[in-house]
Amino acid sequence: MIQKKSLKDAIQNPEIISVVGGLLPMATLTENGLMSFEDKQKMFKSMPTSEGKLIQIASVKRYARFGAVIYNIPNNQVTQGIFLLKAGNGSTPTPTLIRLLGDNIAGSILYKMTDTTMDLFYKTPTNDIGQQDIIQTITGTPIYTTYNGSAEGMTELSVS
């Protein structure tokens, strides 16, 4: 038997939402639909603007890839920057930070090799300099968690 419900009642009922969600298609490049969790993770991530924190960006396994675009959103005194961060695809993954446009990013990118992974980190500026970096993942799975360890043993990437 088909039940009629008001939209207000339907929104408050998880069982109805689950049924409706199962009927909707996944979004594609050409069709509307629901977004997968993986696609949601790859959306833009704003980095903190101060306090010198370490944020783990990703953990790249050997023979895997990670790529991201870093957008530097300026204050009124500097040029916007766009950078490409890429890592992986070999027995010894090597990260690269390439300048596509503008000056430098507000923070810095660090990495640390382990026996099985290359861990990528974003170090926020110590003081707020009026700029903000925003990261958009292109390929791979980001982590974006605060790292409570020290930067000891990490290498800072220079912009090429």
Side-chain angles (χ1 to χ4, degrees):
M1 172 183 245
I2 297 176
Q3 293 180 343
K4 290 186 178 185
K5 296 269 185 182
S6 71
L7 181 58
K8 181 180 176 186
D9 290 339
I11 290 172
Q12 294 175 355
N13 186 333
E15 290 175 12
I16 293 174
I17 291 172
S18 175
V19 169
V20 172
L23 298 174
L24 296 174
M26 293 298 289
T28 67
L29 291 175
T30 59
E31 298 291 327
N32 290 328
L34 296 175
M35 180 184 290
S36 70
F37 178 72
E38 182 179 285
D39 287 342
K40 174 75 171 151
Q41 284 183 305
K42 292 180 181 179
M43 293 181 74
F44 298 93
K45 176 68 176 171
S46 298
M47 293 290 114
T49 58
S50 64
E51 299 182 22
K53 293 180 180 180
L54 282 170
I55 309 292
Q56 186 166 3
I57 298 171
S59 185
V60 183
K61 294 180 182 175
R62 298 196 192 289
Y63 300 104
R65 295 179 187 175
F66 180 80
V69 175
I70 301 173
Y71 302 92
N72 178 259
I73 307 302
N75 57 17
N76 292 330
Q77 291 106 25
V78 295
T79 307
Q80 178 178 358
I82 301 175
F83 301 83
L84 176 63
L85 172 63
K86 59 181 189 159
N89 201 28
S91 61
T92 308
T94 306
T96 308
L97 184 61
I98 302 167
R99 177 190 336 269
L100 301 175
L101 173 74
D103 296 324
N104 287 315
I105 62 175
S108 56
I109 303 295
L110 302 125
Y111 71 97
K112 175 173 69 172
M113 299 300 292
T114 70
D115 290 340
T116 58
T117 64
M118 175 183 52
D119 297 329
L120 294 167
F121 300 87
Y122 175 87
K123 186 170 193 302
T124 66
T126 304
N127 299 313
D128 191 342
I129 57 174
Q131 303 171 36
Q132 183 166 25
D133 293 325
I134 298 177
I135 300 178
Q136 180 186 19
T137 305
I138 300 169
T139 187
T141 303
I143 296 174
Y144 299 133
T145 58
T146 300
Y147 181 74
N148 293 319
S150 76
E152 187 174 319
M154 294 184 189
T155 304
E156 184 174 345
L157 279 179
S158 56
V159 178
S160 58

